[in-house]
Amino acid sequence: MHVTIIGAGLGGLTLARVLHVHGIPATVYEAEASAGARAQGGMLDIHEHDGQQALRAANLFDEFRGIILEGREATRVLAPDGAVLLDQPEDGTAGRPEVQRGELRRILLDSLPEGTVRWGHKVTGVRALGDGRHEVAFANGGTVVTSLLVGADGAWSRVRPLVSGAVPRYVGRSFVETYLFDADSRHPAAARAVGGGALMALVPGKGIMAHRESGGTLHTYVALTKPLEWFAEIDFSDSAALARVAREFDGWAPELTALITDSDTAPVLRPLNTLPIGHKWDRVPGVTLLGDAAHLFAPSGDGANLAMFDGAELGKAIAAHPGDPEAALAEYEQALFPRSTAAAVEGSHTHEMLFDENAPHSVISFLTA
Ligand SMILES: Cc1cc2nc3c(=O)[nH]c(=O)nc-3n(C[C@H](O)[C@H](O)[C@H](O)COP(=O)(O)OP(=O)(O)OC[C@H]3O[C@@H](n4cnc5c(N)ncnc54)[C@H](O)[C@@H]3O)c2cc1C
């Protein structure tokens, strides 16, 4: 058996690794040109019940422990005027250690046999050949035929149309991403506001959420509830976009707005999209989905964990049914659908809670419960 995986995100790589642990070969086709083609960005808290389980199944738990950034589970909630509403230091009991996404991806990549990931292979289309076989076409002109295809290619999956007509829908909110480097020396007021871990400054419909990464980097998501047309009028390739976004926070404390205006990088717009809650499909021979390709919802701190868990569960199911991939895919999907529906319900609720009419008090109650 040889498994063809589209997408070298955390989900696809976890699947490839768990298959490798079980002696099953896989090839991962990835659109990006190389492992370093794009900054991976963002801190991820890795949960005991899904992300950490996946890393155990991948035999990479010790490597994971080696990249944990201590102290980053601390959380502060600030009012727009900078007043501290909640200051929760890390006490080591939350069970959600924080790592850099890029580091996590690196340990997965390093654990795979040379040549497993084929970079520069952007899938342009997939067609069914019958009997569970599929032909995958790439932008570079190549094709492959496979009898076991996994779409791990994220929100805008090219594999998803084989099983479902669902398409992502804009949730009405976007994040704008900024970075401040060497913040303790170059941006000390902002660094003090963020503290040692995460900062949230939220009001109904918008907010500034920042995290201290390694090397004194402050990584910020600025949340705005606006239609896509509103963002389309801003040129995000120009740093003037920072001033335009910051105008939405007029009157807020300068140490908070500095997380926008002092960005050392051009701002990146991240529109938030979702698939319908409860997205599922009838069994289609020879193909399945995992991660955001299967279930996409607005960020709530669980999507990457779920993608890794899906990858591990699918890898274990394939290993448990040698010579019978259909049984493996059926078993995997039977658990996937209720799991992802429950996660999407909870995740959407968590995301909306951040910006609801009681913001920031709903999130403070949640954090202190
Ligand atoms: C702003 C933001 C913040 C988030 N914060 C968190 C968080 O704190 N914690 C958390 O758990 N989750 C978070 N998430 C969710 C998380 O990022 C996703 O759920 C997760 O990355 C999904 O992993 P994946 O492997 O399914 O897909 P992806 O990470 O999207 O990986 C898909 C891969 O497929 C490749 N690909 C795409 N199309 C093609 C193609 N046509 N051909 C070949 N390759 C292709 C892509 O280049 C990519 O490498 C956040 C999401 C957003 C938008």
Side-chain angles (χ1 to χ4, degrees), residues 5-14 28-32 38 40 42-47 50 98 101 105 118-125 136-139 151-159 174-177 211 219 221 270-273 290-308 310:
I5 303 166
I6 309 302
L10 294 175
L13 292 176
T14 303
V28 184
Y29 293 95
E30 165 59 45
E32 288 174 4
R38 177 176 61 87
Q40 293 297 306
M43 300 271 291
L44 296 173
D45 54 316
I46 303 300
H47 312 158
D50 47 19
E98 299 270 355
R101 182 191 285 256
R105 191 180 192 228
R118 306 276 165 85
W119 303 100
H121 280 73
K122 182 182 170 76
V123 173
T124 51
V136 183
F138 301 103
D153 49 343
W156 302 100
S157 172
R158 291 292 185 134
V159 180
S174 292
F175 286 177
V176 178
E177 200 177 7
H211 217 136
H219 177 206
Y221 290 125
R270 305 246 179 243
L272 306 181
N273 295 287
L290 63 75
D292 279 5
H295 44 74
L296 175 70
F297 45 93
S300 61
D302 207 21
N305 283 272
L306 269 182
M308 293 170 67
D310 290 352

Side-chain angles (χ1 to χ4, degrees), residues 134-156:
H134 291 91
E135 183 188 70
V136 183
F138 301 103
N140 61 17
T143 57
V144 292
V145 173
T146 174
S147 52
L148 186 38
L149 176 66
V150 180
D153 49 343
W156 302 100

